[in-house]
Amino acid sequence: MTLQSAQQLAAPYSSESKGLLVHLDHVDKIYPNGTVAVQNANLRAGEGEFLCFVGPSGCGKSTIFNMITGLTSHTAGELAVLGTTPREARKQNEIAFVFQEHTLLPWANLLENVTLPLKLRGVPQSVRKEEGERVLELVGLKEHMKVLPRQLSGGMKMRVSIARALISRPKLLLMDEPFGALDEITRQTLQDELLSIWQREKKMTVLFITHNVFEAVFLSTKVVVMTPRPGKIAQMIDIPVPFPRGEDFRTTPEFSDYVRAVSGALNH
Amino acid sequence: MNKSYAGNVTDHAYSEARPAQPKKMVNKSVPGKGKQLASQIIPPLVVLLLFVGGWEFIGRLIGIAPYLLPKPSDIFLAARDNIGNLMVSVGTTVMEAVIGFAVSVVLGISLAILLALSKMVERSVYPYAIILQTIPIVAIAPIIVIWFGAGLNAIVIISFLISFFPILSNTLIGLNSTEQNMKNLFYLYNATKFQTIMKLRIPAALPYIVAGLKISCSLSVVGAIVGEYIAGIGGGKGGLGYAITIAASRLQTPYLFACGLSAAILGVLFFLLVNQASKWLLSSWHESAMNHSN
Ligand SMILES: Nc1ncnc2c1ncn2[C@@H]1O[C@H](COP(=O)(O)OP(=O)(O)OP(=O)(O)O)[C@@H](O)[C@H]1O
Ligand SMILES: [Mg+2]
């Protein structure tokens, strides 16, 4: 294994990671205080995949995301995003983020909020408005574009947050427990909406963190099961069920089987 | 599939949107406003009338000499007889306080932004700002008079020195209290440091900045009066502080009271003005400005 990482170091971005949006190869993350947050993580996310990360609190899910976005750096192994370093990848404006909190600017209306990424890039006003209306339409909030975030419910705020992520037509969308704070009904509605947006975009790759096994199985093409202390990827479980997945998928025996498989992997 | 999906979303959005807040808030505040205002103003007004009436009554009953303790009527007469001088003094003090306050706002906010831009600069400069703040103004004032001469310059500088620090420290706390999540968001979308300051940290610090302004505006009036007390005539005419020293030395106690009251009223009016301005500044987003009348 040491030999392999040495080879990887010699050729940092092998042709192998070219077609992949995210490629982790024997990645470790040890925080300065000694916490081993992630150990020996191997992961490949190709175009159009929907990966859900499940695992108990503290198993390193957010840490993996933070390494992919370049908020923190990995301490061993190889990590390529869009075929390059996280830092370079981010500059291509092909990556978008949704956090657990909606992170909307309270003083800016919905249109200004969703167009923030474009504004930071210096995109002209007319284009911003057009794109802003497009994504607000996608999440069903176009009529509310002049409204301030505090006038919205939690579910609507999360929709705005998703709209903001979609504005630059990202190739890679990272979502860290986006629906964690929502009630079950709103959560399911948003899951349906997210899936149909993802299907429309066709080529968009989504990485999605959740604590909820049902959510993971319902949404993903593949579930990444993680276990804590030290944070490890325990198992990958493919969910080869075709899309669109309607509400009825949640009640099929197939669905229960997958849920059982993921839960089993979690408890190992 | 797509069609029914789109319909679904809009329906859902509508049903969620209906209980949205703004309409409710407008409805509530319109009929309630007059009543609320009355209930806020009447009780202190009653106390004031009782106090002034009692003071006048006891003063007349006991017959204390006006130069020891003037009755409200003495103060009123003194103010009326010297209304010209009083107005000139008030005007002078207003001008000094406003200039001192304006300089505090500009320098306080700019320095806070500079400090917030670099942790290094903050760590090396801010302790001295705190030390400067703890030196009593009466110790610094004479030096300022020596350096800048008695008069307007010295008075404005003293007013500035007193009102500067609350703006600086409040703005700095505000700029440093931006949520980590929001900072990450800007970082991930490749915002420059300048964009993060202008579009995130300053707007997020606005409630703190405004709190600093409210403290400082009253202090700037105090500073102007203290300055006049020490540095004398500002702009060729004496302000309230100067008038107070003169009245005291001549035992014109009723006029001294009139000047003191004018200074108090001035401070309150200045505060109310700044308070109104801050409400307007914050009304677009900060909730405390809308819910409490603070
Ligand atoms: N900046 C940091 N410095 C030191 N340790 C950290 C830091 N961030 C996270 N950790 C530790 O690393 C481990 C993994 O944290 P991480 O946030 O990735 O977990 P998570 O799977 O996202 O958990 P949750 O589901 O609660 O969000 C935890 O033990 C955590 O305490
Ligand atoms: Mg996390």
Side-chain angles (χ1 to χ4, degrees):
Chain A
M1 201 178 283
T2 7
L3 193 69
Q4 201 176 347
S5 12
Q7 281 170 353
Q8 293 285 340
L9 276 173
Y13 306 112
S14 52
S15 56
E16 207 188 356
S17 55
K18 280 263 159 60
L20 297 173
L21 282 99
V22 177
H23 186 190
L24 272 68
D25 192 27
H26 300 286
V27 165
D28 288 355
K29 172 69 191 182
I30 303 174
Y31 280 108
N33 66 3
T35 310
V36 183
V38 174
Q39 195 176 59
N40 193 24
N42 294 292
L43 184 78
R44 312 151 144 266
E47 192 178 86
E49 282 196 83
F50 198 127
L51 296 191
C52 277
F53 292 72
V54 279
S57 199
C59 67
K61 305 182 294 291
S62 298
T63 301
I64 288 190
F65 269 35
N66 290 344
M67 289 190 289
I68 293 172
T69 57
L71 273 175
T72 185
S73 50
H74 57 293
T75 45
E78 284 310 317
L79 192 158
V81 181
L82 307 181
T84 175
T85 61
R87 201 169 265 276
E88 289 302 315
R90 214 177 55 230
K91 296 214 181 88
Q92 297 173 19
N93 301 313
E94 304 274 21
I95 309 178
F97 321 89
V98 178
F99 307 95
Q100 177 166 15
E101 296 80 22
H102 53 76
T103 58
L104 301 177
L105 303 175
W107 54 83
N109 68 32
L110 298 198
L111 187 65
E112 291 161 345
N113 260 299
V114 296
T115 54
L116 177 74
L118 301 185
K119 181 151 195 184
L120 293 175
R121 255 193 272 158
V123 173
Q125 161 72 26
S126 56
V127 180
R128 289 207 307 263
K129 180 152 191 291
E130 199 176 301
E131 289 295 291
E133 286 176 0
R134 173 181 70 86
V135 290
L136 282 172
E137 175 105 67
L138 266 181
V139 298
L141 287 171
K142 195 178 165 199
E143 304 79 27
H144 302 283
M145 64 184 186
K146 294 285 172 209
V147 157
L148 292 176
R150 67 157 176 269
Q151 295 162 326
L152 303 180
S153 69
M156 292 164 92
K157 281 182 196 155
M158 189 40 74
R159 284 202 179 89
V160 179
S161 191
I162 292 172
R164 180 180 60 197
L166 295 173
I167 195 142
S168 45
R169 299 176 193 271
K171 279 187 189 159
L172 178 62
L173 175 59
L174 299 168
M175 307 178 88
D176 192 343
E177 281 189 64
F179 307 152
L182 304 177
D183 64 85
E184 192 54 33
I185 295 172
T186 313
R187 180 189 265 256
Q188 292 194 3
T189 315
L190 281 176
Q191 287 170 3
D192 291 338
E193 292 182 25
L194 178 63
L195 275 189
S196 36
I197 289 169
W198 172 68
Q199 277 179 264
R200 273 191 225 178
E201 301 286 323
K202 288 285 190 277
K203 288 179 173 173
M204 184 166 70
T205 304
V206 183
L207 305 191
F208 188 105
I209 292 178
T210 175
H211 277 124
N212 187 319
V213 176
F214 298 94
E215 183 166 76
V217 171
F218 182 73
L219 290 175
S220 61
T221 57
K222 191 189 281 176
V223 178
V224 181
V225 180
M226 294 188 68
T227 50
R229 275 176 297 274
K232 271 188 175 161
I233 295 180
Q235 213 176 319
M236 307 254 198
I237 297 174
D238 282 314
I239 315 285
V241 176
F243 294 89
R245 294 174 182 171
E247 275 308 304
D248 39 343
F249 175 50
R250 292 182 205 273
T251 51
T252 58
E254 206 182 2
F255 184 78
S256 321
D257 290 344
Y258 286 121
V259 168
R260 214 169 298 127
V262 173
S263 303
L266 273 172
N267 294 327
H268 265 296
Chain B
M1 173 66 206
N2 268 353
K3 226 175 189 176
S4 77
Y5 155 75
N8 229 341
V9 175
T10 355
D11 281 349
H12 198 78
Y14 267 126
S15 63
E16 271 190 36
R18 221 168 279 143
Q21 293 227 325
K23 281 181 206 149
K24 244 195 222 162
M25 276 162 71
V26 171
N27 281 345
K28 222 169 37 184
S29 69
V30 166
K33 211 164 190 175
K35 233 187 213 171
Q36 208 186 341
L37 211 65
S39 75
Q40 270 180 358
I41 285 180
I42 289 175
L45 209 63
V46 170
V47 170
L48 179 73
L49 284 177
L50 283 177
F51 178 73
V52 172
W55 181 357
E56 182 74 34
F57 178 74
I58 293 171
R60 277 175 197 269
L61 204 70
I62 306 178
I64 305 176
Y67 74 87
L68 283 179
L69 179 66
K71 299 186 292 293
S73 56
D74 299 328
I75 298 170
F76 175 76
L77 288 177
R80 198 192 59 186
D81 294 345
N82 296 293
I83 191 69
N85 288 336
L86 188 59
M87 282 301 119
V88 169
S89 295
V90 167
T92 307
T93 302
V94 166
M95 177 193 64
E96 294 156 353
V98 167
I99 299 176
F101 179 64
V103 176
S104 293
V105 172
V106 173
L107 291 188
I109 294 177
S110 336
L111 184 61
I113 291 172
L114 275 181
L115 296 188
L117 276 175
S118 155
K119 269 270 163 273
M120 259 292 280
V121 178
E122 182 186 337
R123 247 179 256 134
S124 43
V125 173
Y126 195 56
Y128 298 104
I130 297 172
I131 292 172
L132 267 184
Q133 167 63 19
T134 58
I135 301 175
I137 198 72
V138 280
I140 304 177
I143 304 172
I144 288 165
V145 174
I146 292 168
W147 287 347
F148 298 94
L152 184 63
N153 289 345
I155 295 168
V156 165
I157 290 171
I158 292 167
S159 165
F160 154 76
L161 281 177
I162 290 187
S163 57
F164 166 74
F165 192 75
I167 297 183
L168 172 71
S169 59
N170 269 284
T171 307
L172 193 57
I173 292 171
L175 289 172
N176 285 336
S177 67
T178 322
E179 269 181 69
Q180 191 57 42
N181 265 328
M182 297 297 236
K183 281 197 265 186
N184 284 350
L185 179 82
F186 271 65
Y187 172 79
L188 293 174
Y189 284 117
N190 303 305
T192 61
K193 213 165 192 183
F194 181 73
Q195 284 176 320
T196 309
I197 272 275
M198 295 309 289
K199 296 198 162 65
L200 176 64
R201 295 177 72 186
I202 293 178
L206 209 57
Y208 294 84
I209 298 176
V210 152
L213 298 186
K214 283 192 211 168
I215 299 170
S216 287
C217 67
S218 311
L219 284 178
S220 72
V221 176
V222 173
I225 289 171
V226 170
E228 290 161 355
Y229 198 86
I230 296 166
I233 294 175
K237 292 161 189 155
L240 283 170
Y242 182 69
I244 287 170
T245 49
I246 301 294
S249 69
R250 293 183 188 159
L251 277 186
Q252 294 169 333
T253 318
Y255 187 57
L256 189 141
F257 268 71
C259 291
L261 275 177
S262 309
I265 293 170
L266 200 64
V268 171
L269 286 182
F270 201 15
F271 175 82
L272 290 178
L273 201 71
V274 171
N275 197 25
Q276 210 51 46
S278 32
K279 267 190 203 165
W280 173 79
L281 263 175
L282 291 184
S283 61
S284 69
W285 71 283
H286 188 53
E287 285 168 37
S288 91
M290 307 193 70
N291 297 341
H292 325 230
S293 53
N294 180 16

